[in-house]
Amino acid sequence: MQHLTELSQAHGLEERLAVYAAAFPDRAAVIEGDNTTTYARLYELYKCVRHEMWQQGVREGTRILISCREAVPFFAAMLASMEIGALVLPVAYDQKALERSKILSLFDPEYIFSDRHDGSETAHGIHPLNVPVEFTCDRDNPNEIFKKRRLPPETELIIHVTSGSSGVPKAVGRQLGNLLDEAEAIASHTSMSPEDRILCASPLHHSFACGFWRAAIKSGACLVVSKGFSPKRFIELCSKHRITLTIGVPYHYMGLLQSEDLACSLSSLRLAYTGGVKLSKLTAQQFREHAGTPLLQEYGLSEGGVVSLNDSPHKPDSVGKPLQGVAVSILNEEGILLSANQIGEIHIQRPYAPLSYWSDSIDCTHSLNTKFGVPTGDLGWLDEDGYLYLSQRKKWMINVGGNKVDPAEVEEVMMGSGWVEECLVVPKKDEWRGEVVQAFIVAKALSNMDENDLYLYCRERLSAFKVPKTIHRVDKLQRSDSGKILRSYYMNEC
């Protein structure tokens, strides 16, 4: 068939979008709420947005802030700017004024593309780009210009801002070659096809979600977008749209465990991925028991995208083998390469990886281009089969009088008590030992255990220096919009 030949020759996501729009114009590309957008409609909007950008003076290297509440204009703007070669920073549509001011100061955009203009951008000298009211674009588009040019793979196209899990948030640029390789690797690893319906519960502007929605467009799959999260809504979407693949964070899946007939509602699900936060053994076990589908871990970072996807239900603790084109090395503190089952810092090598942080902060100017690639700041190990496991972030390790405590170990013990719904272990300053262990816990609703019982439970299972000296009971743990626990918030509490 002609479209198969055209797909094999398509270089970028925009070219694939054009092929799908012509070959399968009525196929659903995006479902959001009650609205379904076909591939033909998405392609038309993409062309209109590209025209708007080009007419307003957007060219290669132009800085654009993209902030959309709706998914379809967001995808169209991301794809249009990608083809033009503009440098974009996708951000949450509901950013607070202080958050937005920091982003503007860091990125200094020339334009903002949004479906919710409030006029504030003009006060900063930023030109607004409008979402076309109609999806049909009759005006002349600079098609010939784009047919005759092809951006080099080293072209920097997207700025991702880290969520600050290792400290102050940092910005990092990603290149075209990196983005295309990531989409190809994800699509190949998950056997993604036009038959797939992918439910994205993670914010679309985050690097985890970005990798999957690009892979979906590359594969001709359908993206089902959920604004916010509720267990009821998640299950309704899975059942109504026959979802085959989901991406989210652990607390999304934890919220589903109380639902009745979960396996029936998720009967079409073949892959469920979680990322952003380490998955506990208990959650993985309970999800498989209730849903009938294994919950698999992803590992990725803003400094290069999705690194690995687990494909082995028999290794639920693992984040999987590195994706095609990605190499993982484990180094000790002296920079010496470690063998299997030895814990050290994870380093990532992949084509077109960033060379440095994109920031004016002194703390962010160190090179990411080491002999073994990008140093992630995460501790982990590789087993004999090449599967990667996460231990903890280097900066999260607690130093109790010279004894190093991995918070994940303590959290796992506390979760095993049967009393704790969620927990977070962080250091607390101590006059004599430098740091001691403290914990913040969310108790299960019907549990009759108290903090002292939990303390005794930990003391029976952990060395004395690992036992939390203080246990704080809270109603919920504070999280970022990506679902990550705000560890720095709790480290500043006590």
Side-chain angles (χ1 to χ4, degrees):
M1 295 177 69
Q2 182 180 355
H3 76 272
L4 294 177
T5 302
E6 293 174 341
L7 280 176
S8 66
Q9 297 173 348
H11 174 68
L13 296 182
E14 309 82 10
E15 294 176 14
R16 283 194 164 247
L17 177 60
V19 173
Y20 289 128
F24 312 104
D26 297 326
R27 177 183 290 166
V30 183
I31 298 174
E32 186 174 19
D34 296 327
N35 299 318
T36 297
T37 301
T38 64
Y39 267 91
R41 296 281 279 173
L42 179 59
Y43 182 58
E44 282 299 319
L45 180 59
Y46 146 75
K47 288 193 298 180
C48 289
V49 171
R50 186 185 66 178
H51 179 273
E52 166 76 4
M53 289 182 173
W54 191 263
Q55 290 296 103
Q56 295 297 323
V58 174
R59 297 293 186 269
E60 185 174 339
T62 301
R63 297 182 188 182
I64 306 175
L65 194 74
I66 296 181
S67 174
C68 294
R69 180 181 176 84
E70 307 298 330
V72 172
F74 174 82
F75 293 142
M78 292 292 288
L79 291 169
S81 60
M82 194 172 180
E83 184 170 9
I84 292 174
L87 181 62
V88 305
L89 174 58
V91 297
Y93 69 87
D94 57 353
Q95 270 188 329
K96 303 300 182 184
L98 180 60
E99 296 171 321
R100 179 62 60 88
S101 66
K102 291 179 180 179
I103 290 294
L104 295 179
S105 175
L106 171 68
F107 187 55
D108 191 23
E110 301 164 67
Y111 297 86
I112 180 170
F113 181 92
S114 178
D115 52 5
R116 293 290 190 279
H117 286 298
D118 60 6
S120 61
E121 59 269 6
T122 56
H124 295 86
I126 305 170
H127 303 289
L129 294 168
N130 298 311
V131 179
V133 176
E134 296 294 335
F135 279 25
T136 302
C137 196
D138 297 326
R139 296 159 293 184
D140 292 334
N141 280 300
N143 288 320
E144 294 304 316
I145 295 175
F146 295 111
K147 287 180 180 178
K148 295 176 181 178
R149 68 197 288 270
R150 183 160 288 178
L151 297 172
E154 298 83 10
T155 306
E156 198 170 56
L157 294 180
I158 294 180
I159 298 294
H160 279 305
V161 177
T162 71
S163 58
S165 57
S166 62
V168 178
K170 302 179 288 289
V172 63
R174 297 182 61 190
Q175 300 174 3
L176 172 62
N178 176 268
L179 301 174
L180 294 179
D181 286 353
E182 178 193 40
E184 171 63 34
I186 292 174
S188 174
H189 192 89
T190 61
S191 300
M192 200 176 287
S193 77
E195 304 305 315
D196 277 307
R197 293 203 160 195
I198 301 163
L199 175 56
C200 182
S202 296
L204 296 176
H205 64 282
H206 282 218
S207 59
F208 179 25
C210 277
F212 272 84
W213 67 251
R214 280 193 292 266
I217 290 176
K218 177 179 177 61
S219 306
C222 174
L223 279 156
V224 179
V225 179
S226 173
K227 287 195 188 78
F229 172 80
S230 76
K232 181 181 179 182
R233 180 63 176 154
F234 191 100
I235 291 171
E236 287 176 350
L237 290 172
C238 285
S239 179
K240 177 179 179 180
H241 299 296
R242 306 295 295 164
I243 297 298
T244 59
L245 190 155
T246 61
I247 65 168
V249 293
Y251 93 92
H252 290 153
Y253 297 101
M254 290 167 62
L256 304 179
L257 297 178
Q258 307 303 319
S259 303
E260 297 180 359
D261 299 325
L262 187 60
C264 181
S265 300
L266 305 185
S267 59
S268 59
L269 189 63
R270 64 181 185 87
L271 288 172
Y273 281 111
T274 178
V277 183
K278 186 177 178 181
L279 177 68
S280 72
K281 290 181 181 178
L282 183 61
T283 300
Q285 177 185 341
Q286 291 179 336
F287 186 84
R288 186 167 189 178
E289 291 173 354
H290 286 74
T293 301
L295 181 55
L296 302 170
Q297 296 192 74
E298 169 269 357
Y299 176 57
L301 55 157
S302 299
E303 298 89 339
V306 177
V307 171
S308 63
L309 293 168
N310 194 6
D311 57 5
S312 175
H314 305 295
K315 298 188 178 190
D317 294 346
S318 174
V319 295
K321 288 184 176 181
L323 293 177
Q324 177 183 343
V326 180
V328 171
S329 303
I330 309 296
L331 277 64
N332 66 12
E333 293 182 352
E334 287 74 41
I336 298 174
L337 191 64
L338 299 176
S339 56
N341 298 311
Q342 291 185 295
I343 296 177
E345 184 176 3
I346 301 169
H347 286 62
I348 306 298
Q349 285 180 304
R350 72 189 314 164
Y352 311 110
L355 302 180
S356 63
Y357 285 111
W358 198 91
S359 176
D360 56 3
S361 169
I362 296 176
D363 294 334
C364 300
T365 55
H366 68 276
S367 175
L368 295 174
N369 186 27
T370 71
K371 178 181 178 181
F372 294 97
V374 176
T376 66
D378 293 323
L379 298 179
W381 72 95
L382 292 164
D383 68 12
E384 298 87 347
D385 300 321
Y387 281 81
L388 178 63
Y389 296 76
L390 301 182
S391 174
Q392 195 59 273
R393 287 201 64 88
K394 287 171 65 177
K395 292 186 177 182
W396 290 351
M397 297 295 284
I398 303 171
N399 189 344
V400 182
N403 296 300
K404 299 296 175 63
V405 179
D406 184 347
E409 179 187 4
V410 183
E411 290 168 357
E412 186 174 330
V413 168
M414 299 181 82
M415 291 294 292
S417 69
W419 183 57
V420 177
E421 185 73 34
E422 288 188 286
C423 70
L424 175 69
V425 170
V426 295
K428 179 179 181 179
K429 292 182 180 179
D430 182 81
E431 183 179 356
W432 300 104
R433 287 160 290 185
E435 293 178 335
V436 292
V437 178
Q438 67 173 335
F440 293 83
I441 62 102
V442 178
K444 289 187 175 179
L446 301 178
S447 176
N448 57 8
M449 183 182 280
D450 62 20
E451 287 84 342
N452 188 60
D453 293 330
L454 186 57
Y455 170 79
L456 294 174
Y457 179 88
C458 291
R459 198 169 70 174
E460 292 174 356
R461 292 162 175 80
L462 294 168
S463 299
F465 67 88
K466 297 180 181 179
V467 176
K469 296 299 179 281
T470 309
I471 298 176
H472 307 274
R473 187 169 178 170
V474 296
D475 293 332
K476 65 178 181 178
L477 294 176
Q478 299 294 320
R479 298 178 183 275
S480 68
D481 62 356
S482 66
K484 290 185 179 181
I485 296 172
L486 295 173
R487 186 172 294 265
S488 58
Y489 171 85
Y490 291 97
M491 291 178 71
N492 292 330
E493 280 289 285
C494 298

